[in-house]
Amino acid sequence: MNQATSPTPVVTIDGPSGSGKGTIAKLVADKLGYALLDSGALYRLTALAALNAGVDLSDEARLAELAANLDIRFDIANGEVSAVMGGEDVSRDIRMERVSMAASKVAAVPAVRQALLQRQRDFRAAPGLVADGRDMGTTVFPDAPVKIFLTASAEERARRRFAQLQGRGVSVSLRDLLEDIRARDDRDMNRAASPLAPAEDAVVLDSTDIDIDGVLTKVLELVHQRIG
Ligand code: C5P
């Protein structure tokens, strides 16, 4: 395929909560000058909209309607992305534990996933896109030339989250965090619609014992091999 007809390249980074994919995706996007899609934020925004509107999380039709009609945008200032819903910056709200838990419930609804599919694909723009989530390589961008599946043990992921929250002065128990992570993993991996799993052509990286720089180097090597 020649340059003129090559589709805009996408680097997909999928993996479970706390594997470091969001951090890596941002670093890779900065390094390559690509746009960034944090697909989890879309599920989090849908969950927050549902919680705010008092929608029952088992009401699939209402959830899909909310997802299809989200009034959201992502603003970038000083390299930081903020999520704005209904004109209000909700970047902090969507990271709360109760929203994380609700997001993984909302994300199991096939009609919600369908409603968010095209919105995610619309982020693909020259010179390229880095997309992080659970099904970027399997469902949303199956033709991506670089697919990474980033994982780490549940214990290590809980420890990272614990340190992050402690750093922000939030008091939590490590055991509760580990339980939450396991519950979300279980729901993400065992749902029928786009379950969390590596694409057949994904490169699996385990970040349990590699630091961010080590992971970044490996991802950039793959980008150079496959995209140039
Ligand atoms: O990645 P993040 O933790 O922000 O995602 C929040 C939730 O959204 C996850 O627990 C997962 O259930 C869901 N999600 C998903 N598919 C994606 C991204 C996130 O199901 N592509």
Side-chain angles (χ1 to χ4, degrees), residues 21 39-40 43-44 95 103-104 107 113 133-136 184 188 191:
K21 61 189 175 355
S39 62
Y43 291 96
R44 289 172 179 276
R95 302 287 150 199
S104 86
R113 305 198 73 84
R134 303 293 185 290
D135 62 341
M136 299 296 97
R184 286 171 65 196
D188 287 353
R191 67 182 175 222

Side-chain angles (χ1 to χ4, degrees), residues 173-190:
S173 114
L174 182 58
R175 212 171 57 190
D176 288 353
L177 282 179
L178 183 58
E179 265 176 32
D180 280 4
I181 281 197
R182 290 202 168 121
R184 286 171 65 196
D185 281 359
D186 185 55
R187 218 179 348 252
D188 287 353
M189 290 190 291
N190 295 312

Side-chain angles (χ1 to χ4, degrees), residues 147-149 198-204 226:
K147 297 182 185 177
I148 310 290
F149 191 84
E200 268 178 24
D201 49 349
V203 173
V204 178
R226 302 200 180 161

Side-chain angles (χ1 to χ4, degrees), residues 114-202:
Q114 189 56 40
L116 295 177
L117 189 58
Q118 192 54 46
R119 216 187 258 259
Q120 295 173 82
R121 290 186 174 152
D122 289 345
F123 278 78
R124 190 172 193 163
L129 174 70
V130 180
D132 91 71
R134 303 293 185 290
D135 62 341
M136 299 296 97
T138 51
T139 305
V140 182
F141 302 108
D143 64 334
V146 178
K147 297 182 185 177
I148 310 290
F149 191 84
L150 188 61
T151 166
S153 70
E155 290 77 10
E156 174 61 18
R157 289 183 282 126
R159 272 193 295 274
R160 288 177 190 167
R161 181 79 181 133
F162 184 71
Q164 198 181 43
L165 290 172
Q166 273 204 321
R168 282 193 222 141
V170 180
S171 117
V172 276
S173 114
L174 182 58
R175 212 171 57 190
D176 288 353
L177 282 179
L178 183 58
E179 265 176 32
D180 280 4
I181 281 197
R182 290 202 168 121
R184 286 171 65 196
D185 281 359
D186 185 55
R187 218 179 348 252
D188 287 353
M189 290 190 291
N190 295 312
R191 67 182 175 222
S194 286
L196 170 65
E200 268 178 24
D201 49 349

